[in-house]
Amino acid sequence: MLEVRDLQVRYGAIRAVHGVSLEAADGELVALLGANGAGKSSTLMCIAGALKAAGGSIRLGAEDVTGASPEAKVRKGVATVPETRDVFPDLTVEENLTLGAYIRRADTNGVREDREKMLTLFPRLAERSAQPAGTLSGGEQQMLVIARAMMSRPKLLLLDEPSLGLAPVVVDQIFEMIAALKQSGLTILLVEQNVAKALSVADRAYVMRLGAIAASGSAAEIGAATDLSALYLGG
Ligand SMILES: Nc1ncnc2c1ncn2[C@@H]1O[C@H](COP(=O)(O)OP(=O)(O)O)[C@@H](O)[C@H]1O
Ligand SMILES: [Mg+2]
């Protein structure tokens, strides 16, 4: 599904990502872990097409999509939930969901069906479907941006720190939501600092440190790695 080879991301003279290779098979949930500043978001936003790669390649299935724009990536089945968790605050929950299907807005019946599907899957959103999104709690807004991303019918979902700043009980709800999406066969790349929660849903994990991959393995292997905290030191 996703194959990243020797990816490089730069901000001017700063080399944020140098030589990251990772893959996610069809239906796999892969966690990308690491301390603040390790280069996780840069990697994810580059896969999303929002940042230009300074080197390396990104393949989706058989297709090289390294230089593709964010919109082209969405059309090829990649949906992204950035760290910023942006809802359209003045629009209702339902309207926010509809905008997530922008690339296939002509298919009004299909969009309506998908909206119903999301509201059935996530009753907390259904209860608030007519409410302006700006009035939702942080956790509900996170649920909404994930559900909105699903409205483009992605094959690959990129999630950047969905648990950031949320209370433990809300984090549990978000991870239940992620687990439910995985059940549907979706491929997910999950960037997280909450190692325990991420490994509880992941099949495999990569640990980034200083812009490179420092370790990789099955979720069980990474969880059992005695040097995991050492891998985090120094960011
Ligand atoms: N817009 C930017 N301009 C300059 N440097 C940046 C920018 N965004 C991130 N960086 C730097 O790139 C490195 C990786 O950042 P980031 O990908 O956000 O890491 P993470 O998501 O793992 O916390 C850090 O050193 C960070 O300071
Ligand atoms: Mg980040």
Side-chain angles (χ1 to χ4, degrees):
M1 164 64 62
L2 172 70
E3 188 181 327
V4 175
R5 283 284 159 263
D6 200 25
L7 190 70
Q8 321 271 339
V9 181
R10 295 201 183 101
Y11 300 98
I14 300 171
R15 286 167 19 116
V17 176
H18 37 96
V20 162
S21 296
L22 57 84
E23 44 200 76
D26 253 346
E28 217 180 9
L29 197 165
V30 173
L32 185 57
L33 311 173
N36 232 334
K40 306 180 299 297
S41 294
S42 301
T43 300
L44 182 131
M45 293 316 283
C46 194
I47 296 170
L51 283 176
K52 241 177 106 72
S57 67
I58 302 165
R59 298 181 79 86
L60 278 179
E63 196 180 357
D64 189 315
V65 296
T66 313
S69 69
E71 172 153 350
K73 293 268 177 75
V74 174
R75 290 187 186 282
K76 291 175 199 304
V78 181
T80 309
V81 177
E83 251 175 334
T84 44
R85 201 178 290 166
D86 294 323
V87 297
F88 299 100
D90 299 331
L91 301 183
T92 65
V93 166
E94 225 177 84
E95 289 164 343
N96 268 272
L97 289 176
T98 304
L99 281 175
Y102 181 79
I103 58 161
R104 52 189 190 89
R105 58 194 177 282
D107 175 23
T108 45
N109 285 337
V111 171
R112 188 184 321 114
E113 277 167 29
D114 283 6
R115 212 169 42 217
E116 296 302 319
K117 212 183 288 174
M118 282 302 130
L119 293 176
T120 307
L121 198 54
F122 307 114
R124 292 177 67 87
L125 293 179
E127 289 160 20
R128 294 161 179 80
S129 64
Q131 225 169 286
T135 65
L136 301 182
S137 71
E140 289 158 0
Q141 292 191 4
Q142 182 65 70
M143 283 180 199
L144 176 57
V145 290
I146 296 173
R148 189 180 63 197
M150 291 302 298
M151 291 294 295
S152 65
R153 291 193 180 168
K155 291 180 280 197
L156 172 65
L157 180 65
L158 307 172
L159 293 174
D160 197 351
E161 301 214 32
S163 77
L164 194 70
L166 300 177
V169 58
V170 183
V171 171
D172 289 348
Q173 290 162 4
I174 297 295
F175 273 86
E176 277 166 28
M177 181 178 192
I178 294 169
L181 293 176
K182 176 181 160 55
Q183 285 305 313
S184 72
L186 187 69
T187 307
I188 302 174
L189 181 64
L190 170 66
V191 164
E192 259 301 336
Q193 290 211 45
N194 189 331
V195 174
K197 289 304 284 186
L199 291 178
S200 76
V201 293
D203 298 303
R204 287 188 308 111
Y206 295 86
V207 183
M208 277 191 83
R209 184 170 183 270
L210 303 172
I213 301 290
S216 66
S218 70
E221 284 164 356
I222 294 294
T226 50
D227 58 348
L228 191 60
S229 54
L231 288 170
Y232 269 72
L233 289 176

